């Protein structure tokens, strides 16, 4: 950023910061969900009771991964070429 | 302890890793020929969407989901793969 790669520098960097920023938000949500899951494990509930939450969080994290698989090539490989 | 990870899932994970190396090579390789550079970058886009499809099908378990969800994932990946590739080549 100190070399001028700021969100307002040009259209590429505006899109870059919006895309990666929204992705960071998703990562933070995922981390928060994992924290909730970790706390819920201390409740000594059976696995069956927390199975939906556990699997839901896992699927959410895979979605975040899926999005990064598309964002990374688009902003780091395609635009750089 | 033997973890219950199906061989199929492990195989797809390996395919995804190999695809990552391939797209990295395609994306950073400079052939000094503009036409083949464009074709290689178009390949990067298509491979990225195929990877997203595999993650959705296998790791988000859409493969075993109701038909409507499978159709939505397939349609979404197909539509945006064609749209992004077309916009890049246009």
């Amino acid at each position: 950023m100190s070399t001028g790669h700021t969100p307002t520098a040009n259209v590429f960097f505006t899109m870059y910061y919006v895309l990666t920023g929204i992705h960071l938000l998703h990562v933070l949500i995922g981390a928060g969900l994992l924290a909730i899951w970790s706390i819920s494990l201390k409740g000594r509930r059976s696995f069956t009771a927390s199975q939906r939450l556990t699997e839901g969080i896992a699927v959410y994290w895979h979605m975040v991964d899926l999005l990064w698989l598309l964002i990374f090539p688009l902003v780091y490989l395609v635009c750089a070429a | 302890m033997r973890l219950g990870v199906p061989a199929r899932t492990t195989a797809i994970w390996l395919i995804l890793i190999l695809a990552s190396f391939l797209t990295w090579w395609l994306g950073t390789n400079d052939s000094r020929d503009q036409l083949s550079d464009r074709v290689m970058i178009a390949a990067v886009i298509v491979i990225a969407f195929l990877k997203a499809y595999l993650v959705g099908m296998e790791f988000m378990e859409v493969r075993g989901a109701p038909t409507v969800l499978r159709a939505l994932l397939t349609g979404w990946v197909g539509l945006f793969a064609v749209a992004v590739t077309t916009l890049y080549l246009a």
Side-chain angles (χ1 to χ4, degrees), chain A residues 48-80:
Chain A
T48 326
S50 62
Q51 187 181 3
R52 278 174 177 244
L53 176 73
T54 309
E55 290 185 351
I57 294 171
V59 168
Y60 174 85
W61 267 110
H62 283 305
M63 182 207 70
V64 177
D65 171 40
L66 181 153
L67 291 172
W68 186 247
L69 287 183
L70 295 174
I71 295 170
F72 179 80
L74 287 178
V75 298
Y76 286 97
L77 297 177
V78 175
C79 289

PDB file of all heavy atoms in Angstrom, chain A residues 48-80:
ATOM      1  N   THR A  48     -24.612 -36.422  18.031  1.00  0.00           N
ATOM      2  CA  THR A  48     -25.821 -36.318  17.214  1.00  0.00           C
ATOM      3  C   THR A  48     -26.458 -34.942  17.369  1.00  0.00           C
ATOM      4  O   THR A  48     -26.940 -34.360  16.397  1.00  0.00           O
ATOM      5  CB  THR A  48     -26.849 -37.386  17.637  1.00  0.00           C
ATOM      6  OG1 THR A  48     -26.145 -38.548  18.033  1.00  0.00           O
ATOM      7  CG2 THR A  48     -27.785 -37.717  16.503  1.00  0.00           C
ATOM      8  N   ALA A  49     -26.427 -34.408  18.601  1.00  0.00           N
ATOM      9  CA  ALA A  49     -27.062 -33.119  18.846  1.00  0.00           C
ATOM     10  C   ALA A  49     -26.349 -31.993  18.118  1.00  0.00           C
ATOM     11  O   ALA A  49     -26.978 -31.040  17.671  1.00  0.00           O
ATOM     12  CB  ALA A  49     -27.099 -32.846  20.347  1.00  0.00           C
ATOM     13  N   SER A  50     -25.032 -32.092  17.992  1.00  0.00           N
ATOM     14  CA  SER A  50     -24.280 -30.999  17.374  1.00  0.00           C
ATOM     15  C   SER A  50     -23.879 -31.320  15.940  1.00  0.00           C
ATOM     16  O   SER A  50     -23.156 -30.563  15.310  1.00  0.00           O
ATOM     17  CB  SER A  50     -23.035 -30.681  18.197  1.00  0.00           C
ATOM     18  OG  SER A  50     -22.198 -31.810  18.229  1.00  0.00           O
ATOM     19  N   GLN A  51     -24.353 -32.452  15.424  1.00  0.00           N
ATOM     20  CA  GLN A  51     -23.908 -32.901  14.097  1.00  0.00           C
ATOM     21  C   GLN A  51     -24.249 -31.896  13.002  1.00  0.00           C
ATOM     22  O   GLN A  51     -23.412 -31.587  12.157  1.00  0.00           O
ATOM     23  CB  GLN A  51     -24.536 -34.250  13.772  1.00  0.00           C
ATOM     24  CG  GLN A  51     -23.975 -34.858  12.492  1.00  0.00           C
ATOM     25  CD  GLN A  51     -24.620 -36.195  12.168  1.00  0.00           C
ATOM     26  OE1 GLN A  51     -25.515 -36.647  12.862  1.00  0.00           O
ATOM     27  NE2 GLN A  51     -24.165 -36.809  11.090  1.00  0.00           N
ATOM     28  N   ARG A  52     -25.465 -31.350  13.037  1.00  0.00           N
ATOM     29  CA  ARG A  52     -25.885 -30.412  11.999  1.00  0.00           C
ATOM     30  C   ARG A  52     -25.028 -29.149  12.032  1.00  0.00           C
ATOM     31  O   ARG A  52     -24.622 -28.647  10.997  1.00  0.00           O
ATOM     32  CB  ARG A  52     -27.360 -30.049  12.171  1.00  0.00           C
ATOM     33  CG  ARG A  52     -28.266 -31.095  11.572  1.00  0.00           C
ATOM     34  CD  ARG A  52     -29.720 -30.828  11.866  1.00  0.00           C
ATOM     35  NE  ARG A  52     -30.527 -31.828  11.189  1.00  0.00           N
ATOM     36  CZ  ARG A  52     -31.401 -31.554  10.227  1.00  0.00           C
ATOM     37  NH1 ARG A  52     -31.608 -30.320   9.867  1.00  0.00           N
ATOM     38  NH2 ARG A  52     -32.093 -32.510   9.655  1.00  0.00           N
ATOM     39  N   LEU A  53     -24.755 -28.646  13.239  1.00  0.00           N
ATOM     40  CA  LEU A  53     -23.916 -27.451  13.377  1.00  0.00           C
ATOM     41  C   LEU A  53     -22.516 -27.735  12.836  1.00  0.00           C
ATOM     42  O   LEU A  53     -21.962 -26.963  12.043  1.00  0.00           O
ATOM     43  CB  LEU A  53     -23.841 -27.025  14.849  1.00  0.00           C
ATOM     44  CG  LEU A  53     -22.910 -25.835  15.143  1.00  0.00           C
ATOM     45  CD1 LEU A  53     -23.537 -24.536  14.648  1.00  0.00           C
ATOM     46  CD2 LEU A  53     -22.592 -25.732  16.626  1.00  0.00           C
ATOM     47  N   THR A  54     -21.948 -28.878  13.252  1.00  0.00           N
ATOM     48  CA  THR A  54     -20.594 -29.244  12.834  1.00  0.00           C
ATOM     49  C   THR A  54     -20.502 -29.354  11.313  1.00  0.00           C
ATOM     50  O   THR A  54     -19.610 -28.778  10.684  1.00  0.00           O
ATOM     51  CB  THR A  54     -20.186 -30.589  13.463  1.00  0.00           C
ATOM     52  OG1 THR A  54     -20.432 -30.514  14.862  1.00  0.00           O
ATOM     53  CG2 THR A  54     -18.730 -30.895  13.215  1.00  0.00           C
ATOM     54  N   GLU A  55     -21.442 -30.088  10.724  1.00  0.00           N
ATOM     55  CA  GLU A  55     -21.402 -30.290   9.277  1.00  0.00           C
ATOM     56  C   GLU A  55     -21.702 -28.992   8.532  1.00  0.00           C
ATOM     57  O   GLU A  55     -21.128 -28.729   7.477  1.00  0.00           O
ATOM     58  CB  GLU A  55     -22.389 -31.393   8.867  1.00  0.00           C
ATOM     59  CG  GLU A  55     -21.924 -32.761   9.328  1.00  0.00           C
ATOM     60  CD  GLU A  55     -22.812 -33.890   8.843  1.00  0.00           C
ATOM     61  OE1 GLU A  55     -23.888 -33.601   8.291  1.00  0.00           O
ATOM     62  OE2 GLU A  55     -22.410 -35.038   9.037  1.00  0.00           O
ATOM     63  N   GLY A  56     -22.575 -28.170   9.098  1.00  0.00           N
ATOM     64  CA  GLY A  56     -22.897 -26.876   8.487  1.00  0.00           C
ATOM     65  C   GLY A  56     -21.674 -25.981   8.419  1.00  0.00           C
ATOM     66  O   GLY A  56     -21.405 -25.358   7.384  1.00  0.00           O
ATOM     67  N   ILE A  57     -20.918 -25.920   9.521  1.00  0.00           N
ATOM     68  CA  ILE A  57     -19.712 -25.095   9.565  1.00  0.00           C
ATOM     69  C   ILE A  57     -18.677 -25.638   8.577  1.00  0.00           C
ATOM     70  O   ILE A  57     -18.012 -24.877   7.868  1.00  0.00           O
ATOM     71  CB  ILE A  57     -19.132 -25.044  10.999  1.00  0.00           C
ATOM     72  CG1 ILE A  57     -20.098 -24.307  11.929  1.00  0.00           C
ATOM     73  CG2 ILE A  57     -17.768 -24.357  11.009  1.00  0.00           C
ATOM     74  CD1 ILE A  57     -19.731 -24.400  13.395  1.00  0.00           C
ATOM     75  N   ALA A  58     -18.562 -26.980   8.492  1.00  0.00           N
ATOM     76  CA  ALA A  58     -17.599 -27.581   7.554  1.00  0.00           C
ATOM     77  C   ALA A  58     -17.953 -27.212   6.118  1.00  0.00           C
ATOM     78  O   ALA A  58     -17.086 -26.816   5.333  1.00  0.00           O
ATOM     79  CB  ALA A  58     -17.577 -29.104   7.724  1.00  0.00           C
ATOM     80  N   VAL A  59     -19.231 -27.310   5.767  1.00  0.00           N
ATOM     81  CA  VAL A  59     -19.665 -26.970   4.410  1.00  0.00           C
ATOM     82  C   VAL A  59     -19.431 -25.485   4.133  1.00  0.00           C
ATOM     83  O   VAL A  59     -18.987 -25.097   3.056  1.00  0.00           O
ATOM     84  CB  VAL A  59     -21.148 -27.358   4.185  1.00  0.00           C
ATOM     85  CG1 VAL A  59     -21.680 -26.745   2.893  1.00  0.00           C
ATOM     86  CG2 VAL A  59     -21.301 -28.864   4.146  1.00  0.00           C
ATOM     87  N   TYR A  60     -19.688 -24.631   5.152  1.00  0.00           N
ATOM     88  CA  TYR A  60     -19.441 -23.197   5.001  1.00  0.00           C
ATOM     89  C   TYR A  60     -17.966 -22.944   4.680  1.00  0.00           C
ATOM     90  O   TYR A  60     -17.635 -22.177   3.766  1.00  0.00           O
ATOM     91  CB  TYR A  60     -19.847 -22.446   6.276  1.00  0.00           C
ATOM     92  CG  TYR A  60     -19.484 -20.985   6.237  1.00  0.00           C
ATOM     93  CD1 TYR A  60     -20.320 -20.055   5.635  1.00  0.00           C
ATOM     94  CD2 TYR A  60     -18.268 -20.530   6.764  1.00  0.00           C
ATOM     95  CE1 TYR A  60     -19.976 -18.716   5.557  1.00  0.00           C
ATOM     96  CE2 TYR A  60     -17.912 -19.198   6.697  1.00  0.00           C
ATOM     97  CZ  TYR A  60     -18.766 -18.302   6.102  1.00  0.00           C
ATOM     98  OH  TYR A  60     -18.415 -16.976   6.025  1.00  0.00           O
ATOM     99  N   TRP A  61     -17.053 -23.612   5.422  1.00  0.00           N
ATOM    100  CA  TRP A  61     -15.617 -23.425   5.190  1.00  0.00           C
ATOM    101  C   TRP A  61     -15.212 -23.901   3.803  1.00  0.00           C
ATOM    102  O   TRP A  61     -14.366 -23.295   3.142  1.00  0.00           O
ATOM    103  CB  TRP A  61     -14.777 -24.134   6.259  1.00  0.00           C
ATOM    104  CG  TRP A  61     -14.435 -23.209   7.382  1.00  0.00           C
ATOM    105  CD1 TRP A  61     -14.911 -23.251   8.665  1.00  0.00           C
ATOM    106  CD2 TRP A  61     -13.557 -22.068   7.329  1.00  0.00           C
ATOM    107  NE1 TRP A  61     -14.386 -22.216   9.392  1.00  0.00           N
ATOM    108  CE2 TRP A  61     -13.555 -21.476   8.619  1.00  0.00           C
ATOM    109  CE3 TRP A  61     -12.779 -21.486   6.322  1.00  0.00           C
ATOM    110  CZ2 TRP A  61     -12.808 -20.339   8.913  1.00  0.00           C
ATOM    111  CZ3 TRP A  61     -12.033 -20.351   6.618  1.00  0.00           C
ATOM    112  CH2 TRP A  61     -12.054 -19.797   7.906  1.00  0.00           C
ATOM    113  N   HIS A  62     -15.829 -24.991   3.334  1.00  0.00           N
ATOM    114  CA  HIS A  62     -15.524 -25.453   1.983  1.00  0.00           C
ATOM    115  C   HIS A  62     -16.004 -24.445   0.945  1.00  0.00           C
ATOM    116  O   HIS A  62     -15.386 -24.278  -0.104  1.00  0.00           O
ATOM    117  CB  HIS A  62     -16.143 -26.828   1.735  1.00  0.00           C
ATOM    118  CG  HIS A  62     -15.389 -27.938   2.386  1.00  0.00           C
ATOM    119  ND1 HIS A  62     -14.045 -28.140   2.164  1.00  0.00           N
ATOM    120  CD2 HIS A  62     -15.761 -28.894   3.263  1.00  0.00           C
ATOM    121  CE1 HIS A  62     -13.639 -29.175   2.882  1.00  0.00           C
ATOM    122  NE2 HIS A  62     -14.654 -29.651   3.555  1.00  0.00           N
ATOM    123  N   MET A  63     -17.118 -23.741   1.249  1.00  0.00           N
ATOM    124  CA  MET A  63     -17.603 -22.706   0.325  1.00  0.00           C
ATOM    125  C   MET A  63     -16.608 -21.549   0.262  1.00  0.00           C
ATOM    126  O   MET A  63     -16.317 -21.029  -0.813  1.00  0.00           O
ATOM    127  CB  MET A  63     -18.978 -22.189   0.771  1.00  0.00           C
ATOM    128  CG  MET A  63     -19.549 -21.148  -0.172  1.00  0.00           C
ATOM    129  SD  MET A  63     -20.679 -19.988   0.616  1.00  0.00           S
ATOM    130  CE  MET A  63     -19.548 -19.028   1.633  1.00  0.00           C
ATOM    131  N   VAL A  64     -16.068 -21.154   1.436  1.00  0.00           N
ATOM    132  CA  VAL A  64     -15.066 -20.080   1.467  1.00  0.00           C
ATOM    133  C   VAL A  64     -13.849 -20.490   0.635  1.00  0.00           C
ATOM    134  O   VAL A  64     -13.297 -19.692  -0.129  1.00  0.00           O
ATOM    135  CB  VAL A  64     -14.666 -19.748   2.930  1.00  0.00           C
ATOM    136  CG1 VAL A  64     -13.579 -18.682   2.968  1.00  0.00           C
ATOM    137  CG2 VAL A  64     -15.873 -19.284   3.718  1.00  0.00           C
ATOM    138  N   ASP A  65     -13.468 -21.780   0.745  1.00  0.00           N
ATOM    139  CA  ASP A  65     -12.359 -22.313  -0.040  1.00  0.00           C
ATOM    140  C   ASP A  65     -12.689 -22.251  -1.533  1.00  0.00           C
ATOM    141  O   ASP A  65     -11.895 -21.775  -2.344  1.00  0.00           O
ATOM    142  CB  ASP A  65     -12.088 -23.758   0.400  1.00  0.00           C
ATOM    143  CG  ASP A  65     -11.096 -24.462  -0.503  1.00  0.00           C
ATOM    144  OD1 ASP A  65     -10.120 -23.817  -0.915  1.00  0.00           O
ATOM    145  OD2 ASP A  65     -11.298 -25.644  -0.784  1.00  0.00           O
ATOM    146  N   LEU A  66     -13.903 -22.690  -1.886  1.00  0.00           N
ATOM    147  CA  LEU A  66     -14.356 -22.692  -3.287  1.00  0.00           C
ATOM    148  C   LEU A  66     -14.240 -21.290  -3.888  1.00  0.00           C
ATOM    149  O   LEU A  66     -13.757 -21.119  -5.006  1.00  0.00           O
ATOM    150  CB  LEU A  66     -15.798 -23.203  -3.339  1.00  0.00           C
ATOM    151  CG  LEU A  66     -16.515 -23.339  -4.690  1.00  0.00           C
ATOM    152  CD1 LEU A  66     -17.578 -24.430  -4.581  1.00  0.00           C
ATOM    153  CD2 LEU A  66     -17.192 -22.063  -5.127  1.00  0.00           C
ATOM    154  N   LEU A  67     -14.661 -20.279  -3.117  1.00  0.00           N
ATOM    155  CA  LEU A  67     -14.611 -18.900  -3.620  1.00  0.00           C
ATOM    156  C   LEU A  67     -13.170 -18.450  -3.833  1.00  0.00           C
ATOM    157  O   LEU A  67     -12.849 -17.806  -4.829  1.00  0.00           O
ATOM    158  CB  LEU A  67     -15.339 -17.954  -2.657  1.00  0.00           C
ATOM    159  CG  LEU A  67     -16.857 -18.140  -2.598  1.00  0.00           C
ATOM    160  CD1 LEU A  67     -17.459 -17.307  -1.480  1.00  0.00           C
ATOM    161  CD2 LEU A  67     -17.487 -17.756  -3.927  1.00  0.00           C
ATOM    162  N   TRP A  68     -12.284 -18.827  -2.884  1.00  0.00           N
ATOM    163  CA  TRP A  68     -10.890 -18.422  -3.030  1.00  0.00           C
ATOM    164  C   TRP A  68     -10.252 -19.079  -4.250  1.00  0.00           C
ATOM    165  O   TRP A  68      -9.400 -18.472  -4.919  1.00  0.00           O
ATOM    166  CB  TRP A  68     -10.097 -18.736  -1.756  1.00  0.00           C
ATOM    167  CG  TRP A  68      -8.697 -18.192  -1.828  1.00  0.00           C
ATOM    168  CD1 TRP A  68      -7.545 -18.889  -1.893  1.00  0.00           C
ATOM    169  CD2 TRP A  68      -8.326 -16.796  -1.879  1.00  0.00           C
ATOM    170  NE1 TRP A  68      -6.472 -18.037  -1.987  1.00  0.00           N
ATOM    171  CE2 TRP A  68      -6.926 -16.749  -1.974  1.00  0.00           C
ATOM    172  CE3 TRP A  68      -9.047 -15.612  -1.845  1.00  0.00           C
ATOM    173  CZ2 TRP A  68      -6.227 -15.543  -2.056  1.00  0.00           C
ATOM    174  CZ3 TRP A  68      -8.351 -14.410  -1.936  1.00  0.00           C
ATOM    175  CH2 TRP A  68      -6.960 -14.382  -2.024  1.00  0.00           C
ATOM    176  N   LEU A  69     -10.668 -20.332  -4.553  1.00  0.00           N
ATOM    177  CA  LEU A  69     -10.155 -21.023  -5.742  1.00  0.00           C
ATOM    178  C   LEU A  69     -10.442 -20.213  -6.999  1.00  0.00           C
ATOM    179  O   LEU A  69      -9.717 -20.296  -7.988  1.00  0.00           O
ATOM    180  CB  LEU A  69     -10.797 -22.410  -5.880  1.00  0.00           C
ATOM    181  CG  LEU A  69     -10.349 -23.493  -4.902  1.00  0.00           C
ATOM    182  CD1 LEU A  69     -11.037 -24.800  -5.225  1.00  0.00           C
ATOM    183  CD2 LEU A  69      -8.844 -23.675  -4.927  1.00  0.00           C
ATOM    184  N   LEU A  70     -11.527 -19.426  -6.984  1.00  0.00           N
ATOM    185  CA  LEU A  70     -11.859 -18.594  -8.147  1.00  0.00           C
ATOM    186  C   LEU A  70     -11.242 -17.202  -8.038  1.00  0.00           C
ATOM    187  O   LEU A  70     -10.765 -16.650  -9.026  1.00  0.00           O
ATOM    188  CB  LEU A  70     -13.381 -18.488  -8.292  1.00  0.00           C
ATOM    189  CG  LEU A  70     -14.096 -19.810  -8.606  1.00  0.00           C
ATOM    190  CD1 LEU A  70     -15.603 -19.628  -8.575  1.00  0.00           C
ATOM    191  CD2 LEU A  70     -13.655 -20.349  -9.955  1.00  0.00           C
ATOM    192  N   ILE A  71     -11.241 -16.627  -6.813  1.00  0.00           N
ATOM    193  CA  ILE A  71     -10.728 -15.260  -6.641  1.00  0.00           C
ATOM    194  C   ILE A  71      -9.219 -15.219  -6.905  1.00  0.00           C
ATOM    195  O   ILE A  71      -8.727 -14.336  -7.600  1.00  0.00           O
ATOM    196  CB  ILE A  71     -11.033 -14.730  -5.219  1.00  0.00           C
ATOM    197  CG1 ILE A  71     -12.547 -14.599  -5.016  1.00  0.00           C
ATOM    198  CG2 ILE A  71     -10.371 -13.358  -4.997  1.00  0.00           C
ATOM    199  CD1 ILE A  71     -12.944 -14.319  -3.576  1.00  0.00           C
ATOM    200  N   PHE A  72      -8.484 -16.220  -6.359  1.00  0.00           N
ATOM    201  CA  PHE A  72      -7.027 -16.185  -6.486  1.00  0.00           C
ATOM    202  C   PHE A  72      -6.563 -16.161  -7.945  1.00  0.00           C
ATOM    203  O   PHE A  72      -5.805 -15.259  -8.325  1.00  0.00           O
ATOM    204  CB  PHE A  72      -6.378 -17.349  -5.716  1.00  0.00           C
ATOM    205  CG  PHE A  72      -4.879 -17.350  -5.839  1.00  0.00           C
ATOM    206  CD1 PHE A  72      -4.108 -16.506  -5.054  1.00  0.00           C
ATOM    207  CD2 PHE A  72      -4.239 -18.165  -6.765  1.00  0.00           C
ATOM    208  CE1 PHE A  72      -2.727 -16.472  -5.191  1.00  0.00           C
ATOM    209  CE2 PHE A  72      -2.860 -18.137  -6.913  1.00  0.00           C
ATOM    210  CZ  PHE A  72      -2.107 -17.285  -6.112  1.00  0.00           C
ATOM    211  N   PRO A  73      -6.978 -17.109  -8.805  1.00  0.00           N
ATOM    212  CA  PRO A  73      -6.518 -17.032 -10.199  1.00  0.00           C
ATOM    213  C   PRO A  73      -6.954 -15.748 -10.891  1.00  0.00           C
ATOM    214  O   PRO A  73      -6.196 -15.187 -11.686  1.00  0.00           O
ATOM    215  CB  PRO A  73      -7.128 -18.256 -10.883  1.00  0.00           C
ATOM    216  CG  PRO A  73      -7.853 -19.010  -9.871  1.00  0.00           C
ATOM    217  CD  PRO A  73      -7.819 -18.302  -8.575  1.00  0.00           C
ATOM    218  N   LEU A  74      -8.160 -15.274 -10.586  1.00  0.00           N
ATOM    219  CA  LEU A  74      -8.653 -14.085 -11.281  1.00  0.00           C
ATOM    220  C   LEU A  74      -7.839 -12.839 -10.948  1.00  0.00           C
ATOM    221  O   LEU A  74      -7.506 -12.057 -11.832  1.00  0.00           O
ATOM    222  CB  LEU A  74     -10.138 -13.847 -10.966  1.00  0.00           C
ATOM    223  CG  LEU A  74     -11.129 -14.820 -11.619  1.00  0.00           C
ATOM    224  CD1 LEU A  74     -12.543 -14.512 -11.189  1.00  0.00           C
ATOM    225  CD2 LEU A  74     -11.019 -14.771 -13.141  1.00  0.00           C
ATOM    226  N   VAL A  75      -7.493 -12.628  -9.675  1.00  0.00           N
ATOM    227  CA  VAL A  75      -6.787 -11.390  -9.334  1.00  0.00           C
ATOM    228  C   VAL A  75      -5.270 -11.540  -9.354  1.00  0.00           C
ATOM    229  O   VAL A  75      -4.561 -10.556  -9.541  1.00  0.00           O
ATOM    230  CB  VAL A  75      -7.241 -10.799  -7.964  1.00  0.00           C
ATOM    231  CG1 VAL A  75      -8.700 -10.440  -7.995  1.00  0.00           C
ATOM    232  CG2 VAL A  75      -6.927 -11.720  -6.821  1.00  0.00           C
ATOM    233  N   TYR A  76      -4.745 -12.778  -9.176  1.00  0.00           N
ATOM    234  CA  TYR A  76      -3.284 -12.926  -9.120  1.00  0.00           C
ATOM    235  C   TYR A  76      -2.695 -13.504 -10.405  1.00  0.00           C
ATOM    236  O   TYR A  76      -1.538 -13.257 -10.726  1.00  0.00           O
ATOM    237  CB  TYR A  76      -2.870 -13.799  -7.934  1.00  0.00           C
ATOM    238  CG  TYR A  76      -3.004 -13.107  -6.607  1.00  0.00           C
ATOM    239  CD1 TYR A  76      -4.132 -13.300  -5.817  1.00  0.00           C
ATOM    240  CD2 TYR A  76      -2.011 -12.246  -6.142  1.00  0.00           C
ATOM    241  CE1 TYR A  76      -4.264 -12.658  -4.594  1.00  0.00           C
ATOM    242  CE2 TYR A  76      -2.130 -11.609  -4.934  1.00  0.00           C
ATOM    243  CZ  TYR A  76      -3.260 -11.812  -4.155  1.00  0.00           C
ATOM    244  OH  TYR A  76      -3.388 -11.181  -2.964  1.00  0.00           O
ATOM    245  N   LEU A  77      -3.435 -14.336 -11.124  1.00  0.00           N
ATOM    246  CA  LEU A  77      -2.868 -14.962 -12.318  1.00  0.00           C
ATOM    247  C   LEU A  77      -3.380 -14.305 -13.602  1.00  0.00           C
ATOM    248  O   LEU A  77      -2.611 -13.923 -14.467  1.00  0.00           O
ATOM    249  CB  LEU A  77      -3.179 -16.468 -12.334  1.00  0.00           C
ATOM    250  CG  LEU A  77      -2.584 -17.282 -11.177  1.00  0.00           C
ATOM    251  CD1 LEU A  77      -3.018 -18.731 -11.257  1.00  0.00           C
ATOM    252  CD2 LEU A  77      -1.060 -17.201 -11.179  1.00  0.00           C
ATOM    253  N   VAL A  78      -4.714 -14.165 -13.713  1.00  0.00           N
ATOM    254  CA  VAL A  78      -5.278 -13.633 -14.957  1.00  0.00           C
ATOM    255  C   VAL A  78      -4.923 -12.162 -15.139  1.00  0.00           C
ATOM    256  O   VAL A  78      -4.473 -11.749 -16.209  1.00  0.00           O
ATOM    257  CB  VAL A  78      -6.812 -13.827 -14.977  1.00  0.00           C
ATOM    258  CG1 VAL A  78      -7.425 -13.169 -16.201  1.00  0.00           C
ATOM    259  CG2 VAL A  78      -7.151 -15.310 -14.953  1.00  0.00           C
ATOM    260  N   CYS A  79      -5.091 -11.357 -14.069  1.00  0.00           N
ATOM    261  CA  CYS A  79      -4.844  -9.922 -14.187  1.00  0.00           C
ATOM    262  C   CYS A  79      -3.361  -9.605 -14.325  1.00  0.00           C
ATOM    263  O   CYS A  79      -3.000  -8.598 -14.922  1.00  0.00           O
ATOM    264  CB  CYS A  79      -5.429  -9.184 -12.985  1.00  0.00           C
ATOM    265  SG  CYS A  79      -7.219  -9.162 -13.030  1.00  0.00           S
ATOM    266  N   ALA A  80      -2.507 -10.467 -13.776  1.00  0.00           N
ATOM    267  CA  ALA A  80      -1.072 -10.199 -13.837  1.00  0.00           C
ATOM    268  C   ALA A  80      -0.516 -10.523 -15.217  1.00  0.00           C
ATOM    269  O   ALA A  80       0.531 -10.017 -15.602  1.00  0.00           O
ATOM    270  CB  ALA A  80      -0.352 -11.029 -12.777  1.00  0.00           C
TER     271      ALA A  80
END
